[in-house]
Amino acid sequence: MLVPRDEAPVAARRGRDRRARVLPPRPGRPRIEGAPPTTAVVGGGIAGLAAATALAERGVRVTLHEREAALGGRLAGRPTELADGSGVTMSRGFHAFFRQYYNLRGLLRRADPGLEALTALPDYPLRHSSGLRDGFRRVPRTPPWSALGFVALSPTFRARDLLRMNPVAALPLLDVRVPDVYERLDGVSARDFLDAIRFPAAAHHLAFEVFSRSFFADPRELSAAEMVLMFHIYFLGSSEGLLFDVPGEPFPAALWEPLARYLRGHGAELRTGSPVDGVAPAPDGGFTVTGPAGSRHHDAVVLALDTGGLRSLVDRSPGLGDARWRGQVARLRTAPPFLVSRLWLDRPVAPERPGFLGTSGFGSLDNVSVLDRWEGEAARWAARTGGSVVELHAYALPEGADRAREQERLVGQLHAVYPETRAARVVDARHEWRADCPLFPVGGHTDRPTVRTPHPALMVAGDLVRTDLPVALMERAATSGFLAANALLERWGVRGQTLWTVPDRGRSAPLRALAKWRRGG
């Protein structure tokens, strides 16, 4: 019998932060006894894979439906052929796998115990068009020295800028608790929060907007609570630091194909290219799941879809939920469109360029990746051709933006950041235009659906759900998937997955006291 790897040594799972929070599951049997219940997991992204893994490991009969041809959701990849005949993998490209992503990394350890598929980048460099540069390699990782070190080392914080700042307005950053942070700051935009603190303009761009734009959102539209939570997760609440890992090969080969083999080894049925048309409650408390190939009864269902997919499926499933829950799903919004452009160039980028660079002030360009510095497939193409593979990201583009024009602009902005690329010929290019990330608007937190639904055997997972835990982005997706599985396993008397998060409050008692004074109690 295959044994789940969720009980690996503590140090290997939680990283370096000794204050990482442990969330044990409710007591129960280690596995299903007797006839196994059946569960349909709808969606094969991070959340769906996490839910399927925790369930299958404990003996639940899992059928996972993914409408696309490959697993991975927003981190999937697809094969394509370049003009020179090379076969490559196209995806949405760069994603930072931070050391704080305890539950996501725990999921990946199922198939890769040593996380050998991930490679560490040496720094998180940031560059503004004015010439200012920042990075996190030399910044201490343990709070509060991390914040003090960043201010001391950063050229964006000059003495006169520090004197202008409003330290009282910044006190909420010192003791972030969930859900308290939403009660206090969800009604304020990220932009207004930063303006109240009077951070230097360059620091807005090079530090704080890094967090807000990670949500693919304009800071004027994003809830300040989400941005402050991000600041806690990555900076003032965790000693893991702001350095990160990236997959050393394209997502399918590095992450999802090994995990798929692991899941099949635990009896899970993985159906790619298998959309679900509707989910209907059954008289016995289970559900009928209908797709192009017909209908099938399941004892439980996990909906692990993106925002548009969840809205659409619930709309096609009139028997699901009650009016309040259906209204919550219907009101979910997606972030503005974003663009990923990958260019295969006929010559190398200058050797001193980093593998990843966050940018600001260069128009719509948010970051540049030189993929051949860290991804094996790109490195092999570059070695064979003498060229390079460069990827550009532009977040929060205007609705209705002209695609051809934005793609052309993005290349022009690359030339401004890395002038040597002006002379390069583009051997081929691929572009990803998407608008499927969840938006966390001002005042929207309490209206978000949670993992549990009006049906005891129907769960929702994904980075769009409200978890009331200090998690975000890919880690929120993985955590919510495990939470969905745990809720079902609890119904069946089985012990679920142990979860980890960064600390759920500020790390320093004096700083927490200051923040409490600011709150007035």
Side-chain angles (χ1 to χ4, degrees):
M1 179 181 70
L2 291 172
V3 177
R5 296 195 178 107
D6 59 317
E7 300 304 327
V10 167
R13 284 185 293 134
R14 74 174 185 181
R16 70 185 293 271
D17 192 346
R18 295 182 179 181
R19 298 191 187 183
R21 184 183 178 203
V22 184
L23 301 170
R26 291 184 179 273
R29 301 187 305 274
R31 286 180 58 85
I32 294 290
E33 296 175 358
T38 62
T39 298
V41 176
V42 186
I46 291 173
L49 290 167
T53 296
L55 292 168
E57 286 173 339
R58 289 155 180 83
V60 177
R61 188 176 301 163
V62 173
T63 302
L64 185 147
H65 293 268
E66 169 54 49
R67 67 180 179 184
E68 302 296 337
L71 298 174
R74 296 200 293 271
L75 271 72
R78 68 178 191 277
T80 186
E81 184 175 312
L82 302 182
D84 68 355
S86 300
V88 298
T89 306
M90 183 57 190
S91 69
R92 302 189 193 200
F94 171 80
H95 279 72
F97 288 69
F98 287 96
R99 314 288 163 76
Q100 292 92 330
Y101 289 177
Y102 303 124
N103 299 317
L104 173 59
R105 293 164 81 91
L107 172 65
L108 299 179
R109 285 185 190 277
R110 295 328 208 265
D112 181 12
L115 295 182
E116 296 175 3
L118 300 181
T119 184
L121 294 190
D123 198 2
Y124 188 162
L126 306 168
R127 179 180 167 189
H128 192 271
S129 59
S130 66
L132 292 174
R133 297 172 184 265
D134 269 308
F136 292 92
R137 179 175 56 85
R138 295 187 297 138
V139 173
R141 287 190 284 178
T142 301
W145 312 114
S146 51
L148 295 174
F150 181 74
V151 170
L153 294 169
S154 171
T156 63
F157 288 92
R158 297 168 295 184
R160 66 174 181 269
D161 295 322
L162 293 173
L163 291 173
R164 287 189 63 255
M165 289 173 59
N166 180 358
V168 173
L171 288 177
L173 295 169
L174 304 179
D175 188 21
V176 175
R177 307 185 187 197
V178 179
D180 175 69
V181 67
Y182 292 100
E183 295 168 1
R184 291 184 289 115
L185 293 175
D186 195 47
V188 181
S189 76
R191 169 66 72 184
D192 288 344
F193 179 80
L194 294 177
D195 287 345
I197 298 174
R198 296 198 295 267
F199 269 98
H204 271 220
H205 294 295
L206 289 176
F208 290 90
E209 286 193 10
V210 169
F211 300 124
S212 66
R213 296 185 72 84
S214 295
F215 286 103
F216 303 91
D218 188 306
R220 295 170 295 186
E221 298 289 328
L222 177 68
S223 163
E226 291 289 346
M227 192 198 67
V228 170
L229 179 63
M230 291 275 281
F231 193 78
H232 173 80
I233 292 169
Y234 299 109
F235 212 56
L236 273 183
S238 170
S239 66
E240 303 294 351
L242 260 171
L243 300 182
F244 53 81
D245 305 316
V246 290
E249 293 290 344
F251 298 133
L255 308 179
W256 312 133
E257 291 167 5
L259 188 57
R261 289 192 291 271
Y262 177 83
L263 277 166
R264 292 189 179 101
H266 282 79
E269 181 183 1
L270 307 181
R271 295 185 174 186
T272 54
S274 176
V276 168
D277 297 328
V279 177
D284 64 354
F287 300 89
T288 300
V289 177
T290 302
S295 298
R296 188 170 173 184
H297 179 272
H298 293 275
D299 298 306
V301 170
V302 177
L303 302 180
L305 298 158
D306 62 27
T307 301
L310 180 62
R311 283 196 315 241
S312 178
L313 180 58
V314 170
D315 188 57
R316 298 193 306 270
S317 306
L320 286 187
D322 54 22
R324 180 177 178 273
W325 182 80
R326 293 180 68 85
Q328 287 180 323
V329 172
R331 287 187 292 273
L332 289 171
R333 296 169 56 192
T334 54
F338 65 92
L339 167 63
V340 176
S341 289
R342 189 174 298 181
L343 312 175
W344 286 263
L345 306 179
D346 70 346
R347 63 196 65 195
V349 173
E352 68 272 16
R353 305 303 187 195
F356 171 81
L357 176 69
T359 62
S360 186
F362 292 96
S364 58
L365 181 66
D366 283 287
N367 57 63
V368 181
S369 297
V370 185
L371 264 65
D372 50 275
R373 300 289 167 81
W374 44 267
E375 187 190 270
E377 181 183 272
R380 292 187 289 274
W381 184 90
R384 187 173 67 252
T385 65
S388 58
V389 185
V390 178
E391 184 178 276
L392 315 173
H393 286 211
Y395 305 143
L397 291 170
E399 296 288 346
D402 182 89
R403 296 190 178 192
R405 188 176 182 186
E406 293 295 339
Q407 290 165 189
E408 184 178 352
R409 281 180 177 172
L410 207 55
V411 174
Q413 292 157 14
L414 167 66
H415 296 162
V417 179
Y418 292 168
E420 71 274 15
T421 61
R422 295 180 186 274
R425 180 177 65 86
V426 177
V427 175
D428 211 334
R430 294 290 186 277
H431 307 281
E432 289 279 329
W433 275 88
R434 301 283 181 171
D436 53 7
C437 296
L439 179 67
F440 300 94
V442 176
H445 176 73
T446 57
D447 197 40
R448 306 193 77 77
T450 61
V451 167
R452 295 178 185 267
T453 76
H455 300 282
L458 176 71
M459 304 295 158
V460 180
D463 56 352
L464 57 84
V465 304
R466 174 162 55 92
T467 66
D468 289 344
L469 293 174
V471 290
L473 303 173
M474 293 191 292
E475 179 69 352
R476 182 178 287 164
T479 302
S480 68
F482 285 131
L483 287 171
N486 284 1
L488 293 176
L489 291 167
E490 180 184 336
R491 284 174 48 81
W492 299 320
V494 175
R495 184 174 66 251
Q497 168 76 38
T498 299
L499 298 176
W500 295 77
T501 74
V502 300
D504 63 346
R505 62 189 61 197
R507 300 177 72 89
S508 165
L511 295 181
R512 290 200 303 268
L514 274 175
K516 184 177 181 180
W517 166 78
R518 174 68 175 85
R519 292 196 297 268

